[in-house]
Amino acid sequence: MQIATWNVNSIRTRIDQVLIWLKEVDPDLLCLQETKVDDPIFPLERFKSHGYHVSIHGQKSYNGVALISRHELNDIRLGFIGELPLDQEANDLGEQKRVISALVDNIRVVNLYVPNGSSLVSEKYSYKLKWLQCLERYLAAQAKRKEPLCLVGDFNIALEDRDIHNPKKLTGGIMASIPEREMLQKALGSLQDVFRVFEQESGHWSWWDYRSGAWNRDSGWRIDHIYLCDELLKRAKSCEIHKNQRGNIQPSDHAPVVVDINWTEEESPEEDEDNIF
DNA sequence: ATGGCAGCGTCACGCTGA
């Protein structure tokens, strides 16, 4: 079971290279962020014509998340609503389309586009912290469901200094400040960053700024993550950043991240019930 | 390297992202 996450920075601009990458890698599920398109004009058919199930939660110009799946998408949940009890704050935060979730092969996949925050003195930073607090409540509610959980997305936070090319300069600033790191860590609870199961070294990035020749200098950040519950973590076979996609012509500023999990239909509870004959 | 680059909406340039 391969699950991928990719901030594509506009699906309409990136659709051709996403389809080429899908053909090469053929993951079971691709979680997209920053689709930047309103639902009625999302290029649904480009995916459906290749046999994918698609679920979208988009908006005009900004944000937007989507699930592109080889398997059926069940119990789809849009925004924080659907997991939390009726809640004004979650409702308000839902104006920005940043959360989509579904059951895929009996795995609960949650796809996030965490706010960037802009700078530590910005109102957007306060919004980011508020959003992370809501995420904590969302994940606490999700945990009670006892579903195997895979949490992916663009977190816009480098949790540790080894996730940044220049920690001396950047730690403490936006995407690497203590409050956002602590709040994300708290929200994650017992979920584990699967990339770090396989790789301890610094120097592995998922995002390179378009500006200042960041790609050519390999000045990146690792801000696109995949977190797994214990049950899935012990079945994880690999977690790779597909860095080559950042070298495409007219690339996204993010590269895809892919986890491979030992997960067959026979092992999932509902399928066991189906196999009684 | 506190600039720069890319996409969007709208059609000249401001806003936003990270």
Side-chain angles (χ1 to χ4, degrees), chain A residues 140-184:
Chain A
Q142 169 58 40
K144 292 185 180 147
R145 302 171 66 84
K146 310 282 185 197
E147 295 162 338
L149 179 61
C150 174
L151 174 69
V152 312
D154 173 2
F155 286 79
N156 271 319
I157 296 172
L159 267 185
E160 302 176 293
D161 284 357
R162 59 179 167 165
D163 299 323
I164 318 173
H165 67 276
N166 187 350
K168 196 174 281 185
K169 176 183 163 191
L170 298 167
T171 295
I174 194 66
M175 298 196 293
S177 69
I178 302 299
E180 58 193 297
R181 280 178 167 178
E182 286 185 350
M183 287 173 99
L184 175 56

Side-chain angles (χ1 to χ4, degrees), chain A residues 239-256:
Chain A
C239 182
E240 306 279 352
I241 300 171
H242 289 213
K243 182 177 177 179
N244 65 332
Q245 295 303 303
R246 183 60 177 81
N248 287 348
I249 294 166
Q250 200 181 15
S252 167
D253 42 357
H254 296 254

Side-chain angles (χ1 to χ4, degrees), chain A residues 175-242:
Chain A
M175 298 196 293
S177 69
I178 302 299
E180 58 193 297
R181 280 178 167 178
E182 286 185 350
M183 287 173 99
L184 175 56
Q185 197 66 68
K186 191 154 172 270
L188 290 171
S190 63
L191 295 172
Q192 297 284 322
D193 180 350
V194 65
F195 183 80
R196 286 300 179 205
V197 169
F198 301 101
E199 179 59 65
Q200 298 307 310
E201 295 299 310
S202 182
H204 299 274
W205 322 125
S206 67
W207 173 76
W208 297 257
D209 201 319
Y210 285 124
R211 300 164 293 185
S212 315
W215 168 247
N216 290 326
R217 294 184 290 115
D218 198 25
S219 299
W221 298 56
R222 196 177 68 88
I223 56 176
D224 300 270
H225 308 150
I226 298 176
Y227 296 95
L228 299 179
C229 66
D230 291 341
E231 183 185 359
L232 293 179
L233 193 76
K234 65 189 179 196
R235 295 162 183 262
K237 290 191 282 187
S238 67
C239 182
E240 306 279 352
I241 300 171
H242 289 213

Side-chain angles (χ1 to χ4, degrees), chain A residues 3-57:
Chain A
I3 299 175
T5 176
W6 196 359
N7 178 323
V8 288
N9 185 20
S10 168
I11 189 57
R12 286 178 292 173
T13 299
R14 230 66 66 192
I15 181 74
D16 289 336
Q17 53 187 281
V18 168
L19 285 169
I20 289 168
W21 182 83
L22 280 173
K23 197 172 176 184
E24 282 173 14
V25 177
D26 194 27
D28 294 271
L29 174 70
L30 172 60
C31 303
L32 299 175
Q33 305 90 34
E34 277 210 274
T35 53
K36 292 190 169 179
V37 64
D38 214 354
D39 291 349
I41 54 170
F42 186 100
L44 270 184
E45 286 309 319
R46 297 292 306 276
F47 292 107
K48 287 190 172 174
S49 64
H50 288 85
Y52 291 99
H53 302 262
V54 182
S55 180
I56 57 178
H57 189 43

Side-chain angles (χ1 to χ4, degrees), chain A residues 78-143:
Chain A
L78 307 179
F80 284 133
I81 302 300
E83 195 51 60
L84 294 168
L86 193 58
D87 178 311
Q88 190 58 48
E89 186 178 63
N91 189 48
D92 292 346
L93 290 173
E95 278 180 32
Q96 298 185 14
K97 310 307 183 194
R98 296 176 176 278
V99 183
I100 188 168
S101 160
L103 275 174
V104 185
D105 235 6
N106 299 309
I107 295 175
R108 168 61 61 180
V109 178
V110 176
N111 176 23
L112 302 179
Y113 175 46
V114 177
N116 171 266
S118 190
S119 80
L120 300 187
V121 294
S122 169
E123 285 179 11
K124 291 173 191 162
Y125 181 66
S126 314
Y127 183 91
K128 183 179 197 175
L129 297 182
K130 193 165 74 173
W131 198 93
L132 289 168
Q133 279 181 328
C134 197
L135 176 65
E136 183 187 350
R137 292 189 290 119
Y138 176 88
L139 293 176
Q142 169 58 40

